[in-house]
Amino acid sequence: MKQHNEARHRQLALIRQDVNQGRFYQAKAQLTDLLKADGNDQDAWYLLAVSQRYLGELDDALSSLQTLRLLDPGYGRLYQEMGHCLLAGKETARAIMAYRQAVQFNP
């Protein structure tokens, strides 16, 4: 089990690197596969939403964030990312509410 967790941690680190370097299609494909194996991985859902937002898939990103919210409503970055998605979709009032939630969970 420990080896599985370490391998998963390394895989997420590489995917995070893809996201940071703008390889969003590649990250999305890997995250989709990873989530098929373990749909409860909170970091994977977060990174998937980030990738989807950068790819202009705002509805999909918000859906991914909703799944993350069901898994862990206290995951602070979830609300920050939700704010980014809503702002990109020109939903300023809702974005501000999401950013406020983000600050509540992660001052």
Side-chain angles (χ1 to χ4, degrees), residues 26-85:
Q26 182 175 335
K28 180 183 164 186
Q30 292 177 62
L31 289 161
T32 300
D33 289 343
L34 195 143
L35 286 165
K36 285 179 186 173
D38 179 6
N40 293 319
D41 191 311
Q42 298 163 359
D43 291 329
W45 282 110
Y46 170 75
L47 290 170
L48 178 61
V50 170
S51 297
Q52 290 166 324
R53 174 173 55 89
Y54 276 105
L55 292 170
E57 302 168 356
L58 299 178
D59 289 340
D60 290 339
L62 289 168
S63 178
S64 294
L65 292 169
Q66 186 59 31
T67 300
L68 176 54
R69 185 186 226 168
L70 293 172
L71 292 172
D72 183 2
Y75 194 100
R77 289 182 297 166
L78 135 75
Y79 301 100
Q80 176 183 329
E81 184 58 30
M82 188 177 295
H84 294 335
C85 290

Side-chain angles (χ1 to χ4, degrees), residues 12-33:
L12 272 174
L14 291 172
I15 293 170
R16 217 177 257 109
Q17 205 171 46
D18 285 337
V19 170
N20 290 337
Q21 294 177 0
R23 294 188 295 261
F24 303 113
Y25 285 109
Q26 182 175 335
K28 180 183 164 186
Q30 292 177 62
L31 289 161
T32 300
D33 289 343

Side-chain angles (χ1 to χ4, degrees), residues 3-16:
Q3 287 179 336
H4 174 72
N5 287 338
E6 289 174 7
R8 189 171 194 78
H9 181 73
R10 282 192 303 274
Q11 184 180 13
L12 272 174
L14 291 172
I15 293 170
R16 217 177 257 109

